[in-house]
Amino acid sequence: MQLTVWTYEGPPHVGAMRVATAMEGVHYVLHAPQGDTYADLLFTMIERRDKRPPVTYTTFEARDLGTDTAALFQRTLKDAYERFQPQAMLVGASCTAELIQDDPAGLAKAANLPVPVIPLELPSYQRKENWGAAETFYQIVRTLAAPVHPQVGDAAGAIPANAVPGHPPLPAGISPSRGEVGGFDASPGASSETQDPASQSGLGAKAGSISPLVGEMPGRAEGGDAGIDSSAEPEKRAADAHGEAANFGPREARRPTCNILGPTALGFRHRDDVAEIRKLLGEIGVVVNVVAPLGASPADIGRLDEADFNVVLYPEIAGVAAKWLKRTFGQAFTTVVPIGHGATRDFVAEVRRLAGLPEAAATGVAPRSNLPWFSRSVDSNYLTGKRVFVFGDATHALAAARVATEEFGFTLCGLGTYSREFARDIRAAAKAYGVEPLISDDYLDVEEAIAAVQPELVLGTQMERHIAKRLGVACAVISAPVHVQDYPARYSPQMGFEGANVLWDTWVHPLVMGLEEHLLGMFRDDFEFHDDARPSHLGAGSRISTEPERATTTFATPPAVPPATRVGASADGNPINLDWLNEAEVELKKIPFFVRGKARRNTEKFALERGLSEITVETLYDAKAHYSR
Amino acid sequence: MSGGPSMSRGAAPAVADIMPSLGCADRPVLRERGQREVFCGLTGIVWLHRKIQDAFFLVVGSRTCAHLIQSAAGVMIFAEPRFATAVMEERDLAGLADANEELDKAVSRLIERRPDVRMLFLVGSCPSEVIKLDLSRAAARLSQRYSPDVRILNYSGSGIETTFTQGEDNCLAALVPQLPDSEAGAPQLLVVGALADVVEDQFARLFDAMGIENVRFLPPRRARDLPPVGPSTRYLLAQPFLGETARVLDERGARRIAAPFPLGAEGTTLWLKAAADAFGIDPMRFRSATAAAEARAKRALEPYRAELSGRAVFFFPDSQLEIPLARMLSRELGMNLAEVGTPYLHRQHLAEELALLPEKTALSEGQDVDRQLDRARATRPDVSVCGLGLANPLEAEGLTTKWSIELLFTPIQGYEQAGDLAALFARPLDRKTRLKV
Ligand code: SF4
């Protein structure tokens, strides 16, 4: 049993709800007790959706147990089908129903509904929300985009649920980790011109490969994947579906196409990210075939194979499905998540390469976001080396770490994620940045880690916002889970060039601005510069003491009580009593609150290492000199 | 399990047996059994952990349970909350022996971390009950280990046994056997049901003014401070959802004072009067103790009556407060009752309330949320009182709503809060008339 107060992720069926709610024409019947209906409010209140999620709960009770919970499930399924007339249904169990083992999959099969019914097996006692979303999306794609599939929505052509081949669920231990597209380097300039078939061979082949372009793509090179039919079959079928001639017109007439995969309901800025990336792709000249799951119908899922490649925005959710699509249809997928200016440029380069488009002229083009110039502007000097702690889902945490260091000039002092599935990626990145990785879904661990490194800015989730508030540290939110205030009214993507602008504004905003910071340092005695003063551009709100347990030792005037004594351990392990002399305490107090904790710790460490038991003003400044080297 | 009231008690005896004297006793009630859209009893922890200041609530459940409490709490209360979830994992399901061992570990970790805790509630959930993890045995076992420092009790807040406010009912019922015996002799008054501290203080002053001396409240603000109970105890329910608590209080020999609930000026007077009568308080003294506050409450209601009278209100089932609220809205503010839905109708405890409802009020018990939504769409009430999952979708359909959860997180009982209660219903309508967007 894990003792927990707040959780970063909900149970896996909430992930399934995020997928179902994002889609059109899908209905999810969940075998669950009544309290589980709370999940609706996540969508209607936190995301302010104007419709109920397309979910029907069986709400079984104790008196149903052992008698007819299975019958209740079947009745609920039938009623839900009749009332909502979906084009496809999802069925599954919540944590409680998983224990009573009614087998929703089997029951749904027996119900013989005239639409595809996709059973979800989401192990509630092992897995969590993002995994559930990934597995759900994967099962939907496998079922509805399968190489031989009925025309969804066409009742005559639809196969009944019991004819849908059962796909083995993802083994619980699988890591839907990021890209396997293969060893190319996506950084700008690295994309190879020679690899670009379209620029060299001009109009490509017609039949014989899925598209004239993808044939040469890195992903396609690894042959031998079961399910890839090297004939033109999928392409032909796609064309047939559109009533077009089976053979294509000249190459110029057809622009490369892609799907955008991963955005769901209740995602952090997913809707705005999609709009931004769609615009970006349009500018590059790539047509978006389907966005899924957000806004996709089952019929749209059936058209996924028509695209040349896939853009994976959120690997946590779409990674598994993208890999299946690659194996099955040979669609390569993007591995760069376009968060930040640099990553967006890398993303553009990767997309151009996957699309077989010539590399964009790298020089002479004004940067597409204001971030590079704002960051170079002299007023931003004060940002240099500010210590930031980054925590979130793996995608956003990794992206934030890069942006923070490369684009803001911050120093990373901590990097972590609650997505255990991506622990490896975070560990590798943390190593590269020279910080300790933190893989945990216990917010108390995170709080401890943040308190220990005393950052000046925390980039995290709503949990870290609370933690930062308690510790009196500035914070900006970069990742789910988020609260209602993180669904802003204005267009506010995290991705693309506009997303980079948003990052700039959001991350700089909570900080004390450059000159103000200096003034705070110079005139500590100004009565308006007390510790509870907020940065002047931020409104009401008061800081909670950074050092609650030490509050009694930080007096602005020499206290009447004896100076604080704390016990440390010297290098050889012997305990030493550390005395902060009054003048030293007072001097420490003159240091602005956002660096004071750090100064205190450094001074004590310095004293311990030298076996000093008394901390004087001299010690304080000796330590300052020592650590500023 | 812990003997919580199961919803199967819905097999109520014939209405007429209970309320033979009431003309409206055989009013028809629509019984629904479809999808419920109501929280489970775990939700009560959100207010109970603030009310009993040295108690801690440990849910033994799943990630879903933890997520429910976190989501229902809405804004996270980051002053470290006095609740947590022991989230069961794969290996806990393997065998009960292991689960018990894991639970003991979780409890010891918790008690180490929170030495200030005097009373620990182990709260059962659907998963713990389905695997038959016996929390009453666990509580007894752990009590032995930690007594006298920490008392360990248990109750069920599971969604298969309880809806929303029944969690509080089970929690209080679990407290009752712990209450010390009261001394025989002078009767005491016990007010039962969690109230906001400010409301509790107001009631204490009113009882004092009318001359009822020995008044205690359950739950107490401190777990150490349990009120005594016994045959000399008369108890007055402050909340309409305390069926199980009342049953175990009866077992201790205490006797219930039947009354409507203290919502609105009239409701508060009737509630206080029932106690006054039970304690033989002189009517003049009662008037002088309550008249000023009652008049103040009525004055506070007046402007709202003008705004709300003639408007139709529709209650989706939620907290079991629906019937007293409907009574108050119809009698004191002149609202029409389109439908009054309640998750469970305790006919005995609500007899006085039902008698005050207008005849032909459409009552429903249980829920089939889709059918009920159809009825609401057909009726198009002026205000729909509903849970958080339904509110915005209804607003999007042009129906004005009032979130029912606010009725539990806001002080609404008593004279001084009557105006605030009316304001909760008036505000959404006021807002609608202001907005020109
Ligand atoms: S309904 Fe049951 S499983 Fe769901 S949150 Fe409530 S107690 Fe937990």
Side-chain angles (χ1 to χ4, degrees):
Chain A
M1 283 178 200
Q2 191 199 354
L3 203 56
T4 174
V5 180
W6 310 116
T7 78
Y8 285 94
E9 292 181 77
H13 69 257
V14 167
M17 285 183 70
R18 289 177 53 186
V19 172
T21 304
M23 291 182 67
E24 307 283 336
V26 169
H27 199 87
Y28 182 20
V29 174
L30 185 64
H31 206 15
Q34 61 179 333
D36 293 8
T37 61
Y38 81 87
D40 285 358
L41 79 85
L42 303 172
F43 300 91
T44 64
M45 296 304 294
I46 296 179
E47 201 182 9
R48 299 190 185 89
R49 283 198 166 246
D50 60 0
K51 282 201 212 86
R52 296 172 63 213
V55 181
T56 300
Y57 307 77
T58 56
T59 62
F60 58 84
E61 300 170 11
R63 65 176 162 191
D64 301 318
L65 293 178
T67 56
D68 57 356
T69 48
L72 175 64
F73 178 84
Q74 277 186 305
R75 215 164 45 238
T76 308
L77 178 66
K78 211 171 124 276
D79 289 352
Y81 173 73
E82 274 158 19
R83 175 174 280 269
F84 298 103
Q85 299 279 320
Q87 298 156 42
M89 296 190 87
L90 307 172
V91 296
S94 77
C95 53
T96 308
E98 187 181 329
L99 298 173
I100 60 179
Q101 301 185 326
D102 274 336
D103 184 22
L107 294 170
K109 205 167 170 182
N112 225 340
L113 296 177
V115 292
V117 179
I118 302 159
L120 301 175
E121 284 194 29
L122 309 174
S124 312
Y125 299 91
Q126 296 169 42
R127 293 284 152 193
K128 290 177 287 180
E129 181 176 331
N130 279 336
W131 190 92
E135 167 70 5
T136 301
F137 186 49
Y138 166 68
Q139 292 296 345
I140 288 174
V141 169
R142 276 197 80 146
T143 307
L144 300 175
V148 179
H149 64 91
Q151 294 295 303
V152 177
D154 170 6
I159 42 169
N162 55 9
V164 172
H167 297 295
L170 216 52
I174 204 169
S175 158
S177 62
R178 59 201 63 233
E180 288 186 339
V181 172
F184 65 86
D185 180 352
S187 59
S191 49
S192 104
E193 290 141 39
T194 55
Q195 220 181 331
D196 186 343
S199 63
Q200 293 178 356
S201 59
L203 319 178
K206 293 188 178 65
S209 78
I210 286 180
S211 100
L213 304 177
V214 288
E216 295 290 316
M217 282 197 299
R220 288 280 291 165
E222 52 167 87
D225 243 339
I228 296 187
D229 182 353
S230 61
S231 80
E233 194 50 31
E235 182 80 318
K236 192 147 94 23
R237 193 159 46 76
D240 288 346
H242 282 150
E244 294 163 9
N247 61 337
F248 281 95
R251 171 66 202 128
E252 300 96 323
R254 189 179 166 282
R255 296 206 291 164
T257 61
C258 72
N259 302 309
I260 296 181
L261 303 182
T264 64
L266 206 65
F268 179 56
R269 309 285 164 84
H270 285 194
R271 215 177 28 202
D272 292 349
D273 285 348
V274 168
E276 184 66 17
I277 296 307
R278 190 192 267 281
K279 195 172 87 192
L280 185 61
L281 290 166
E283 288 164 8
I284 300 172
V286 173
V287 176
V288 175
N289 176 46
V290 169
V291 177
L294 192 64
S297 66
D300 291 331
I301 302 293
R303 299 192 293 113
L304 283 177
D305 63 330
E306 294 170 21
D308 298 323
F309 64 100
N310 289 314
V311 167
V312 175
L313 293 189
Y314 310 101
E316 274 91 343
I317 293 160
V320 192
K323 279 191 227 160
W324 182 85
L325 288 165
K326 177 171 163 237
R327 280 201 308 277
T328 309
F329 302 117
Q331 291 168 317
F333 56 88
T334 58
T335 59
V336 179
V337 176
I339 297 178
H341 185 82
T344 301
R345 290 180 45 160
D346 295 351
F347 172 81
V348 169
E350 186 181 27
V351 164
R352 297 189 80 91
R353 190 141 42 91
L354 296 186
L357 297 170
E359 204 178 337
T363 51
V365 183
R368 296 283 314 280
S369 81
N370 292 321
L371 188 148
W373 172 240
F374 275 41
S375 199
R376 290 193 149 78
S377 164
V378 287
D379 65 285
S380 300
N381 251 306
Y382 77 103
L383 298 176
T384 313
K386 271 199 190 292
R387 305 171 68 253
V388 292
F389 187 98
V390 174
F391 194 86
D393 66 22
T395 299
H396 287 86
L398 289 170
R402 174 173 173 188
V403 175
T405 51
E406 292 181 5
E407 301 180 18
F408 281 68
F410 290 153
T411 298
L412 201 66
C413 65
L415 175 62
T417 186
Y418 56 82
S419 318
R420 289 188 184 280
E421 288 90 348
F422 289 79
R424 220 177 23 186
D425 305 64
I426 291 286
R427 287 210 180 89
K431 195 162 171 214
Y433 289 112
V435 295
E436 270 298 299
L438 175 64
I439 316 294
S440 173
D441 58 357
D442 184 341
Y443 85 100
L444 292 173
D445 289 350
V446 182
E447 177 159 24
E448 211 173 281
I450 293 176
V453 299
Q454 299 270 349
E456 290 159 88
L457 176 67
V458 174
L459 301 174
T461 73
Q462 63 177 354
M463 312 287 195
E464 285 68 47
R465 175 163 42 212
H466 286 286
I467 292 169
K469 202 158 138 195
R470 264 159 79 96
L471 299 176
V473 181
C475 179
V477 168
I478 56 152
S479 161
V482 297
H483 212 67
V484 64
Q485 66 266 42
D486 297 303
Y487 289 91
R490 67 182 184 279
Y491 179 60
S492 198
Q494 297 287 291
M495 294 187 174
F497 293 116
E498 183 58 25
N501 290 335
V502 171
L503 296 184
W504 177 266
D505 290 347
T506 320
W507 297 6
V508 165
H509 181 77
L511 296 170
V512 180
M513 281 193 282
L515 284 177
E516 188 178 5
E517 189 177 294
H518 291 312
L519 289 172
L520 277 170
M522 283 174 70
F523 305 108
R524 287 301 301 155
D525 287 340
D526 187 303
F527 67 97
E528 282 183 317
F529 284 176
H530 59 87
D531 285 355
D532 295 334
R534 304 288 302 163
S536 62
H537 62 294
L538 299 181
S542 69
R543 195 175 61 85
I544 301 162
S545 170
T546 348
E547 312 167 88
E549 77 279 23
R550 296 165 181 176
T552 50
T553 69
T554 49
F555 289 91
T557 51
V561 293
T565 299
R566 264 167 310 127
V567 179
S570 67
D572 56 8
N574 293 329
I576 298 180
N577 283 341
L578 282 179
D579 269 356
W580 276 81
L581 296 188
N582 287 340
E583 305 83 66
E585 280 284 358
V586 172
E587 201 66 21
L588 179 68
K589 188 84 184 170
K590 293 176 187 163
I591 298 169
F593 66 82
F594 41 83
V595 286
R596 192 182 308 145
K598 176 89 179 146
R600 178 187 282 282
R601 279 193 322 125
N602 282 349
T603 308
E604 289 178 358
K605 196 164 148 219
F606 180 82
L608 278 174
E609 281 166 8
R610 279 153 194 77
L612 306 173
S613 63
E614 229 176 43
I615 294 177
T616 62
V617 175
E618 289 298 304
T619 325
L620 184 68
Y621 286 112
D622 284 346
K624 181 170 189 275
H626 176 77
Y627 284 104
S628 62
R629 280 205 302 270
Chain B
M1 290 275 111
S2 62
S6 111
M7 287 181 296
S8 54
R9 67 187 168 180
V15 175
D17 293 347
I18 297 175
M19 301 187 294
S21 60
L22 293 174
C24 58
D26 46 2
R27 67 170 78 244
V29 175
L30 175 66
R31 295 249 168 111
E32 291 276 48
R33 265 218 72 194
Q35 181 191 315
R36 290 164 168 261
E37 180 91 17
V38 184
F39 292 146
C40 60
L42 296 184
T43 323
I45 293 171
V46 176
W47 62 88
L48 287 169
H49 89 281
R50 287 285 140 202
K51 181 73 201 176
I52 315 177
Q53 292 167 17
D54 48 1
F56 195 100
F57 294 79
L58 179 63
V59 177
V60 183
S62 64
R63 183 167 300 283
T64 317
C65 307
H67 204 226
L68 165 114
I69 302 179
Q70 160 170 339
S71 310
V75 184
M76 295 203 223
I77 319 148
F78 246 71
E80 196 172 327
R82 289 182 296 269
F83 61 77
T85 308
V87 174
M88 300 200 292
E89 291 158 315
E90 197 68 11
R91 65 167 179 278
D92 301 312
L93 304 175
L96 286 176
D98 301 343
N100 275 308
E101 205 172 293
E102 285 284 316
L103 177 60
D104 291 7
K105 266 193 240 155
V107 168
S108 79
R109 231 175 307 152
L110 183 70
I111 289 176
E112 252 165 55
R113 218 181 124 73
R114 300 298 301 259
D116 52 318
V117 168
R118 290 286 153 264
M119 182 174 276
L120 173 65
F121 288 97
L122 303 178
V123 187
S125 68
C126 306
S128 78
E129 288 171 10
V130 168
I131 66 166
K132 302 216 182 336
L133 183 59
D134 188 339
L135 293 186
S136 63
R137 296 222 350 234
R141 179 177 71 235
L142 289 161
S143 275
Q144 257 177 7
R145 185 181 313 167
Y146 294 104
S147 84
D149 298 343
V150 191
R151 232 190 285 213
I152 300 176
L153 306 177
N154 77 292
Y155 71 87
S156 167
S158 80
I160 55 176
E161 293 283 0
T162 61
T163 89
F164 199 14
T165 47
Q166 283 173 331
E168 176 178 332
D169 186 17
N170 282 356
C171 172
L172 299 191
L175 270 178
V176 170
Q178 305 294 318
L179 305 182
D181 286 321
S182 64
E183 283 163 32
Q188 328 97 43
L189 177 64
L190 184 63
V191 179
V192 185
L195 292 167
D197 292 348
V198 56
V199 176
E200 210 172 277
D201 295 342
Q202 289 166 10
F203 284 152
R205 282 198 297 272
L206 285 167
F207 287 125
D208 187 54
M210 67 177 81
I212 303 181
E213 275 159 17
N214 208 337
V215 183
R216 299 293 298 271
F217 292 84
L218 182 74
R221 292 183 200 184
R222 306 214 147 261
R224 276 173 276 216
D225 199 19
L226 294 174
V229 69
S232 54
T233 304
R234 303 298 309 271
Y235 67 91
L236 187 59
L237 296 180
Q239 302 284 7
F241 43 74
L242 299 173
E244 180 64 12
T245 308
R247 196 183 63 73
V248 289
L249 281 169
D250 291 347
E251 280 177 8
R252 297 279 310 257
R255 280 166 305 143
R256 183 174 71 94
I257 301 169
F261 292 89
L263 297 172
E266 180 193 46
T268 303
T269 299
L270 290 173
W271 186 75
L272 293 169
K273 186 76 169 67
D277 290 348
F279 280 75
I281 301 300
D282 173 58
M284 289 305 291
R285 179 132 193 223
F286 176 77
R287 281 321 301 160
S288 74
T290 56
E294 190 195 50
R296 206 158 47 225
K298 285 187 168 155
R299 265 200 314 281
L301 287 173
E302 251 164 52
Y304 296 112
R305 193 178 168 92
E307 274 176 63
L308 292 171
S309 107
R311 308 267 205 160
V313 59
F314 189 112
F315 282 91
F316 285 81
D318 199 59
S319 61
Q320 294 190 42
L321 279 164
E322 294 81 10
I323 286 175
L325 286 170
R327 180 264 305 157
M328 184 265 179
L329 294 178
S330 88
R331 290 175 61 91
E332 299 187 44
L333 296 169
M335 293 187 81
N336 298 330
L337 305 177
E339 175 172 334
V340 183
T342 185
Y344 172 72
L345 179 57
H346 196 299
R347 286 162 185 279
Q348 201 184 350
H349 288 176
L350 287 164
E352 287 71 24
E353 290 285 352
L354 289 170
L356 293 173
L357 280 184
E359 260 181 74
K360 299 215 186 83
T361 302
L363 297 175
S364 63
E365 181 182 9
Q367 192 173 25
D368 183 324
V369 67
D370 287 310
R371 288 168 35 142
Q372 194 169 28
L373 284 166
D374 289 345
R375 293 198 297 275
R377 290 181 185 117
T379 324
R380 296 203 68 81
D382 296 298
V383 186
S384 302
V385 186
C386 61
L388 295 173
L390 299 179
N392 266 340
L394 284 174
E395 291 280 351
E397 293 181 31
L399 293 173
T400 304
T401 60
K402 164 86 232 87
W403 316 340
S404 46
I405 197 156
E406 219 177 339
L407 299 162
L408 283 151
F409 292 171
T410 317
I412 56 169
Q413 291 83 2
Y415 291 130
E416 315 306 343
Q417 285 67 239
D420 303 342
L421 175 56
L424 289 180
F425 290 90
R427 189 171 307 127
L429 291 167
D430 175 21
R431 182 159 188 79
K432 199 148 244 191
T433 55
R434 285 169 189 252
L435 296 184
K436 303 278 182 281
V437 293

